[in-house]
Amino acid sequence: MARTLVLLRGLTRGCNHWADFPKQLNEAFPDVELALIDLAGNGLRVDEASPLTIKAALQDIRTQIQQQNISFPVDVLALSLGGMITLQWLVEFPAEVNKAVVINSSHAGLSKTSERMKPLTIAKLVISVLLPPSLRERIIYSVTSNNPVNKSVINQWILEAKVRPVTRLNFIRQVFIARSFKTNLRIDKEQLLLLASSSDRLVNAASSKALAEETLVDLIMHETAGHEITLDDPGWIIKHAATAFGY
């Protein structure tokens, strides 16, 4: 039976924000089934209300997986808010996950608010919510990617924002659950690998270091990529994912 790799994204982002990363994963791991899951309020599910707790977000994700007739256990690769949901998953239902790779995530009980999201970046993102998609997505790209401007990716994100706009209420709901994530991390360190970038302009790498210290899990650092390491250096992510998942 083929193994399934679940991909979970971050705050207000849906499956179509992965850009070429799913294609690159398919090319690297042709025998692995990919499952791109949208949290309620994002992507194909923008008309639904986002959950108000990380626990509820986890249940939402698990329900989506079950509705797609995917069998547990699964592998999980998750970014940012998706990483918080994954950490909750490892606490509540560890038997459902073979191995998880969590990228540039954080925990409210372990890191200061200013470390979890840098103040200047918070200001930019709040302002961007009030702007039209063409400006908003350029701002988001500027704070999540350290690569030169990729017009193709930005245009894809702009189109997604126009076709499937995340509501301001769901934006607030997702910020709330991210800020309140304080689960006691009783996690088997063999089930988790942490990846982060020391040059992340959205989330301070100290947040991932705090997670690693709390869980005694291995943390591997990228030196130059932005928050979206899957966009800036997908090969690096794929290399470490292959080792972690045993593909």
Side-chain angles (χ1 to χ4, degrees), residues 213-233:
E213 291 174 3
E214 178 70 14
T215 59
L216 303 179
V217 166
D218 289 337
L219 168 64
I220 303 174
M221 299 293 298
H222 196 292
E223 295 302 318
T224 60
H227 188 67
E228 294 259 8
I229 307 179
T230 55
L231 177 63
D232 286 2
D233 194 350

Side-chain angles (χ1 to χ4, degrees), residues 5 7 19-34 234-235 238-239 242 247:
L5 174 58
L7 301 186
D20 290 334
F21 188 59
K23 178 182 176 182
Q24 292 160 337
L25 284 172
N26 277 323
E27 291 172 350
F29 312 130
D31 296 327
V32 176
E33 298 288 341
L34 295 187
I238 290 170
K239 179 183 71 173
Y247 293 163

Side-chain angles (χ1 to χ4, degrees), residues 83 87 90 100 102-111 115 181 183 185-190 192-197 203-221:
L87 293 172
L90 291 172
V102 168
I103 307 164
N104 285 332
S105 197
S106 63
H107 185 287
L110 302 176
S111 301
E115 291 176 336
F181 176 57
T183 294
L185 298 178
R186 304 178 305 278
I187 292 174
D188 179 354
K189 66 178 183 179
E190 299 303 319
L192 177 63
L193 173 66
L194 297 172
L195 301 178
S197 176
V203 177
N204 194 312
S207 294
S208 289
K209 293 176 182 177
L211 284 171
E213 291 174 3
E214 178 70 14
T215 59
L216 303 179
V217 166
D218 289 337
L219 168 64
I220 303 174
M221 299 293 298

